[in-house]
Amino acid sequence: SVKDLEVLHNRMLVDIEISSGKIDAIYYCPHLASDDCSCRKPKSGMLILAKKDFPDIDFSRSILLGDSETDIISANKVGVDSVKLSKKYTLADWTNHILS
C-alpha cells in the first residue's frame, strides 16, 4: 500500500541520514499497469518529473541503478546510462530486510 511504502521511505531516509547521506526526493508510481499512466516504468515519467523538480540534472551525465528490466528501459528512453543490479539481492529483498 502507499502507506507501507511511505513507512519504508521514511525508514530509508532516517538510515541514510544517520550515515551522513542525503536524498532530495523519492519518486514512485502508485498506479497499476492497467492505468497506463506516464510514470509507470518502462515509461519515463518519474525521470522527467525529477528533471522538472531539479533542472540541473544532466541526463547525459547520470546513471540509474535498477533491479528490473523496466528500470533500464525507462532510463534508456531519456538518455540516462543504467546499471542493472544483481537479481540475487533485489529491491524487494532489501525492502523485506529493512521492514523485518
Side-chain angles (χ1 to χ4, degrees):
S1 73
V2 171
K3 185 169 177 64
D4 290 337
L5 186 58
E6 288 172 357
V7 168
L8 171 68
H9 286 165
N10 288 332
R11 171 78 186 270
M12 180 179 69
L13 290 171
V14 167
D15 287 352
I16 289 170
E17 285 179 22
I18 288 170
S19 299
S20 300
K22 180 182 178 213
I23 293 183
D24 293 314
I26 296 175
Y27 299 90
Y28 65 93
C29 174
H31 307 107
L32 299 174
S34 59
D35 292 336
D36 195 35
C37 67
S38 65
C39 60
R40 187 163 181 97
K41 297 173 291 183
K43 295 180 181 174
S44 300
M46 284 188 279
L47 294 171
I48 293 165
L49 179 58
K51 175 82 169 138
K52 282 183 183 176
D53 291 346
F54 301 95
D56 290 338
I57 291 175
D58 181 351
F59 282 164
S60 70
R61 296 185 55 183
S62 299
I63 300 173
L64 182 138
L65 304 177
D67 67 346
S68 70
E69 193 60 32
T70 58
D71 293 333
I72 306 312
I73 293 167
S74 177
N76 290 340
K77 285 182 178 181
V78 294
V80 171
D81 285 335
S82 58
V83 175
K84 188 170 181 185
L85 302 175
S86 170
K87 289 185 178 184
K88 293 180 183 179
Y89 195 73
T90 66
L91 180 59
D93 295 325
W94 180 82
T95 300
N96 289 332
H97 174 80
I98 270 289
L99 293 178
S100 60

